[in-house]
Amino acid sequence: MRRILLIEDELIVAMDIKKCLERKGNNKVFSARNYKESMALFLMEDINLVICDVNLNDIKDGIEIIEELMEIKNIPVVYLTAYDNTEIINRAKDTVPYAYLLKPYNELQLQMTIDLADINFKKKEEGHIAVEENIYKLEELTKREKEILLVIATGKTSKEIGDCLSISKHTVDQHKKNIKKKLNLSTIGELVSFIMTTHIEHAIR
């Protein structure tokens, strides 16, 4: 069950969104009209997605509320707004929202936007986990193997790597074999993919 915090001070709009999303069956919507209610629900309920109107008539607007919520827990955010305002969009960017939904919108647009925001967030989180696991695997490598991995990232051949590190091509190939074994990889293609997704130049110190 997806637990959604809806921050919207227009009662009719909030009721319509809640009805639309809960009709699908896998959503539970908690409605808040202002900063105080938003904070209370966010802390009390296990919220995993936020829909927030940017333009709230309260002590804090939607963007300011999201800034505080994201300091507590990082989850996907979808902003609602009636204005295609560049200044608002630029402010909102700092909170890294997963989508914007301009009013008026239909039920299909709402459902699709929420689903895509959720999917993209999960993909990003899975990517972070994979990178962390890859960085942990790097600890299994020797200093020389890490040096070779860094040069592989530049696209050089075994001979060119050997020339750079003043070792033979045969030694480079043997190191490559050991690296693949330690990282549980089978091909050079998998090794290159590992390097690219791990941002190897930053991961190795």
Side-chain angles (χ1 to χ4, degrees):
M1 176 71 70
R2 186 163 50 194
R3 299 167 71 83
I4 300 171
L5 174 60
L6 170 61
I7 308 172
E8 172 60 73
D9 58 0
E10 293 184 37
L11 182 59
I12 294 176
V13 174
M15 290 176 63
D16 185 57
I17 292 175
K18 180 179 173 68
K19 182 180 178 181
C20 171
L21 292 177
E22 291 189 339
R23 184 184 298 132
K24 193 174 180 181
N26 66 331
N27 298 316
K28 174 64 178 175
V29 180
F30 301 86
S31 298
R33 296 171 296 174
N34 52 47
Y35 169 72
K36 184 177 180 179
E37 291 179 2
S38 301
M39 290 299 293
L41 284 170
F42 195 79
L43 293 170
M44 186 167 47
E45 304 294 341
D46 185 21
I47 301 298
N48 44 45
L49 188 143
V50 179
I51 304 172
C52 182
D53 191 340
V54 171
N55 310 290
L56 299 175
N57 295 313
D58 193 34
I59 56 173
K60 293 180 183 288
D61 66 19
I63 298 172
E64 291 171 320
I65 292 174
I66 293 300
E67 286 174 343
E68 290 202 27
L69 296 183
M70 292 304 101
E71 290 180 2
I72 301 170
K73 181 182 178 183
N74 184 32
I75 58 176
V77 173
V78 174
Y79 279 121
L80 301 175
T81 180
Y83 310 102
D84 186 7
N85 185 296
T86 302
E87 182 182 349
I88 289 175
I89 297 297
N90 287 336
R91 282 185 59 217
K93 282 180 181 178
D94 292 334
T95 61
V96 197
Y98 277 74
Y100 299 91
L101 197 56
L102 289 175
K103 300 176 181 178
Y105 46 82
N106 59 43
E107 181 174 340
L108 180 60
Q109 289 172 324
L110 176 63
Q111 292 280 10
M112 287 182 64
T113 300
I114 300 305
D115 288 344
L116 285 172
D118 199 21
I119 290 169
N120 289 335
F121 178 80
K122 287 175 180 176
K123 284 182 177 179
K124 184 177 179 181
E125 289 296 292
E126 289 169 359
H128 285 319
I129 292 171
V131 169
E132 289 176 2
E133 289 177 349
N134 285 353
I135 291 173
Y136 178 76
K137 289 179 181 178
L138 290 174
E139 298 304 314
E140 300 293 319
L141 304 183
T142 65
K143 181 180 178 181
R144 175 60 85 184
E145 288 167 348
K146 289 177 182 179
E147 290 173 348
I148 289 175
L149 204 57
L150 280 171
V151 184
I152 290 174
T154 65
K156 286 182 167 52
T157 65
S158 291
K159 184 179 184 308
E160 290 170 331
I161 293 172
D163 292 341
C164 286
L165 300 178
S166 300
I167 57 178
S168 70
K169 176 182 177 298
H170 174 75
T171 301
V172 172
D173 288 335
Q174 187 59 49
H175 278 305
K176 281 184 178 181
K177 183 178 179 180
N178 292 339
I179 291 169
K180 286 188 290 182
K181 184 177 180 180
K182 289 180 180 180
L183 299 181
N184 196 29
L185 302 173
S186 301
T187 66
I188 289 297
E190 289 178 351
L191 187 57
V192 171
S193 178
F194 177 95
I195 292 168
M196 298 302 292
T197 56
T198 310
H199 302 291
I200 201 78
E201 69 279 7
H202 301 301
I204 293 179
R205 295 288 182 263

